[in-house]
Amino acid sequence: MTAFIIDGKKLAAAKRETIAHIVKERNLHPHLAIILANDNPASAIYVEKKIEACKQVGICAKLYKMPSSSDETDLLNMIDTLNKDNGVHGLFLQLPVGDHLDSHKIIQSIAPEKDVDGLTYTNIGRVMASAPSLAPCTPTGVMELLRHENIPLAGKHAVIIGRSLLFGKPMGQMLLQADCTVTHCHSKTIDLPSITRQADILIAAVGKAEMVKGDWIKDGAVVIDVGINRGTDGKLVGDVDFAQASEIASAITPVPGGVGPMTVACLLHNTVKAAAHDFTV
Ligand code: NAP
């Protein structure tokens, strides 16, 4: 079997058009504040890409660059100022932050109604309760990819490798709400391949280059690769061995060009929801 390649770039472009339309139609003037407090070149590139995407849809994005030596109080003060600024609708902290900082504590200080990354406990809680919310962008993007490709979900066994608050846990919840039977795997899982081979939908979010091999995958499964890693040649690769997996899966997301562009598009969508004060937009 040669897998159908799920084109996240194309779907994200279509989603950006829809968002631009909503911004115009509702006469919104969304403002997004991005806090960058590290000197990581990859983070700077991600931020640039997000600012560029914001421009395309009519969102005004402003970068708040802070020294990587900033301490917790500096970041909490910056977030407090932006929380209180009525001209700022959305706010997120580009991750990772330095090891000297408690990223969870800092993220939880973001006002939930401005938390466009969807990582505050309020917004994660709303996802658990199936309430409209600023939901975490990456799992939301994965759901949109699955739905756009009409991949049947009800009754299917979804296996997620990863249980982070950022991705794995909300992803499981969203699939559960879509009537999948969900299994989470993690670093303590015993005999991982024997579990992944049971998946109708296999989602890898580990951060280990090409860890998932072809013989870990059931014939005809749908494979969603969330991982972003540098291969030995410096190129971006996912958590799945794409060449092997695409011979076995029925559909697969590439890296780059799969989940990543949808994550950015969902961040734009959340910013527009925050500006509209309406999570159902
Ligand atoms: P994370 O917080 O580091 O979580 C990684 C998860 O993988 C953990 O649950 C960990 O288990 C599990 N794990 C680690 N080694 C494992 C192993 N050998 N076998 C099975 N499970 C293992 O990472 P994250 O934030 O969820 O992100 C995961 C990956 O997705 C990263 O590559 C990240 O760059 C990428 N990502 C991409 C996007 C995008 O837009 N495409 C967005 C977000 C993240 P434990 O819980 O037991 O430690």
Side-chain angles (χ1 to χ4, degrees):
M1 179 175 293
T2 302
F4 169 75
I5 312 283
I6 300 174
D7 189 345
K9 240 174 148 174
K10 191 168 149 195
L11 186 59
K15 187 170 169 70
R16 284 198 301 275
E17 273 185 31
T18 307
I19 294 168
H21 181 73
I22 297 169
V23 169
K24 264 198 190 141
E25 195 183 48
R26 293 201 168 213
N27 194 25
L28 298 171
H29 302 282
H31 275 69
L32 174 66
I34 303 173
I35 302 174
L36 176 63
N38 72 47
D39 295 327
N40 181 341
S43 290
I45 293 170
Y46 286 138
V47 164
E48 258 175 49
K49 281 189 177 167
K50 286 170 186 170
I51 292 174
E52 182 52 39
C54 281
K55 270 189 206 150
Q56 289 173 12
V57 302
I59 295 172
C60 173
K62 186 169 174 194
L63 175 63
Y64 293 81
K65 175 78 183 89
M66 299 181 69
S68 56
S69 58
S70 302
D71 64 16
E72 194 171 286
T73 309
D74 297 330
L75 277 150
L76 292 176
N77 285 341
M78 172 62 86
I79 290 172
D80 186 51
T81 303
L82 294 167
N83 278 344
K84 288 175 179 153
D85 184 340
N86 290 333
V88 171
H89 304 107
L91 155 60
F92 80 92
L93 173 68
Q94 179 66 44
L95 297 172
V97 288
D99 290 340
H100 63 293
L101 295 167
D102 178 350
S103 62
H104 278 283
K105 182 174 175 190
I106 296 166
I107 288 167
Q108 297 315 317
S109 74
I110 297 174
E113 66 276 12
K114 296 190 180 191
D115 165 33
V116 289
D117 249 350
L119 299 180
T120 55
Y121 297 154
T122 301
N123 284 322
I124 299 266
R126 292 179 73 88
V127 169
M128 299 296 145
S130 311
S133 64
L134 298 177
C137 300
T138 308
T140 303
V142 170
M143 289 308 290
E144 291 194 17
L145 285 173
L146 292 171
R147 292 212 161 101
H148 181 264
E149 301 304 344
N150 293 316
I151 289 162
L153 298 175
K156 299 297 177 185
H157 186 191
V159 174
I160 303 163
I161 318 176
R163 56 173 169 179
S164 66
L165 197 60
L166 178 91
F167 178 77
K169 283 178 181 155
M171 184 76 258
Q173 196 60 33
M174 289 178 192
L175 288 164
L176 195 59
Q177 279 156 21
D179 296 328
C180 286
T181 301
V182 178
T183 301
H184 284 275
C185 300
H186 46 77
S187 64
K188 308 292 186 296
T189 296
I190 293 165
D191 195 3
L192 182 58
S194 73
I195 298 171
T196 59
R197 275 195 285 269
Q198 297 171 33
D200 300 307
I201 299 161
L202 176 60
I203 302 185
V206 182
K208 291 200 182 338
E210 299 180 325
M211 181 180 97
V212 177
K213 301 298 176 193
D215 63 1
W216 292 29
I217 299 167
K218 180 162 98 175
D219 253 356
V222 173
V223 176
I224 304 291
D225 192 352
V226 179
I228 303 176
N229 314 284
R230 290 266 164 216
T232 42
D233 56 1
K235 288 191 181 150
L236 284 188
V237 291
D239 288 343
V240 177
D241 184 321
F242 184 83
Q244 290 184 14
S246 52
E247 291 301 311
I248 294 160
S250 59
I252 186 167
T253 57
V255 177
V259 174
M262 284 304 290
T263 297
V264 178
C266 291
L267 178 79
L268 306 179
H269 196 175
N270 274 349
T271 305
V272 170
K273 288 178 185 184
H277 305 291
D278 180 355
F279 295 162
T280 64
V281 164

